[in-house]
Amino acid sequence: MNGGPSGFNNAPVTRTIVIFSALFTIIFGIQGRSRNLGWSYQDIFRKFQIWKLIVSVFGFSSTPELIFGIYLLYYFRVFERQIGSNKYTVFIIFSIAISILLEVFTLLLLKDPSLNILTSGPYSLIFSSFVPFYFDIPISTRFHVLNVNFSDKTFIYLAGLQLFLSSWKRSMVPGICGILAGSLYRMNILRVRRMKFPEAIASFFSRLSLPSSMGSSTPATGSSRNVLGSAPSYPGRQMEGNYPAPTLSTSMEPPEDSIATLVSMGFDRNSARQALVRARNDINAATNILLESQMH
C-alpha cells in the first residue's frame, strides 16, 4: 500500500508543512534548543509567549520524532489529494485548534508536573489523520509472520505507535487529543466538513513551498474526492485521478484474481477493472485510483 503517486503532486499544503517541520526542527536542533520547542500552560497564559504555539506545531523535539513524523505526513498526503487543498486546510486548522484546546484542558485537569511541557510537532494533524486512515483506507495486502496476522496498514500504525510513545506522557497527550480532534471532524461538528478555504489557498501554498524534485504540485481543489469522514461508496464510473491514461501498449486485460481482490474490498467490478488498466495492473496503485475517484 502507498499514498498514491510519489512526490507531492496535488499536495502543496502537505509539502509546505513537511518543509517547515524539517526546517524548524533542524534550526532549533543546531542551536541546541529543540527541547524548548514544547509549550506549557505558563508559557501561554502567564508569560503570553503565543509564538510558542506556532513553533511547537511545526518543530519536532528530536531527530527520531522528525523521521517518523515526516514519514507519516508524507503518507497522509493522500487525504489532501482526495478532498482538495482548500478543504484539507480546514481539516488542518480544525485539528490543530481543537487539539490545543483539549491539551490545555488536560493540563488544567491533571496538574501533573511531568506534563508541564508537552512535546512539540504536528501531532494534532498526524493523529487526526489516523481517524480517516482507520475508517476509509482499505487493506490491500495481508500476510502472516509467526502465525500473527499483519497487513500493509500495519507499518503505518507501527510508525504512529513509535511517535505516540516517543516522549511517554508528553507525547501521548497530544496524540490522544489529535485522535479526538479527528473524530470530531469525522462527526461533522458544526458542519466543518462543508467548509473550505478559497481555491487560491492551493496556489498560495504551491508558490510558498519549495519546488519538489519528486513530483509536480498541481493544486487540488475542494471539488476533488471526499474521503475524510465519509462512508465508502464505490459506484461504477470512469476512473479519474492523478494517473496517466493507459496507452494501447499498456492496456492489457487485468488478471481475474486482481479484480477479485479489489471487488472483495467493496469496489465495483467494472471500476476495479478500469483502475487496474489505468494502473498497469498494479493493485496498490489501482486501490488509490479507486479511493481518489470516490465521491468525485
Side-chain angles (χ1 to χ4, degrees), residues 3 5-19 73-82 84-85 88 92 201-202 205-206 209-210 212 215-221 242:
S6 62
F8 292 99
N9 184 39
N10 280 354
V13 179
T14 301
R15 181 173 61 180
T16 301
I17 293 175
V18 167
I19 291 173
L73 287 172
Y74 179 73
Y75 177 83
F76 289 143
R77 75 198 186 285
V78 66
F79 297 128
E80 181 179 356
R81 291 170 172 169
Q82 291 165 342
S85 296
Y88 189 68
I92 293 173
I201 195 71
F205 279 106
S206 295
S209 56
L210 298 177
S212 174
S216 61
S217 58
T218 305
T221 65
N242 305 316

Side-chain angles (χ1 to χ4, degrees), residues 218-294:
T218 305
T221 65
S223 61
S224 299
R225 284 65 54 189
N226 184 8
V227 164
L228 282 177
S230 62
S233 176
Y234 309 111
R237 60 168 68 87
Q238 182 68 30
M239 292 296 99
E240 299 184 26
N242 305 316
Y243 300 86
T247 61
L248 291 176
S249 60
T250 58
S251 298
M252 61 183 69
E253 186 66 24
E256 186 62 33
D257 58 341
S258 297
I259 297 177
T261 299
L262 292 175
V263 171
S264 68
M265 297 179 191
F267 296 110
D268 175 78
R269 179 180 177 82
N270 186 52
S271 298
R273 180 187 173 282
Q274 292 179 25
L276 285 166
V277 170
R278 199 177 185 95
R280 299 179 177 88
N281 292 334
D282 185 331
I283 193 168
N284 291 328
T287 302
N288 284 297
I289 292 175
L290 290 163
L291 287 172
E292 291 184 6
S293 70
Q294 181 183 354

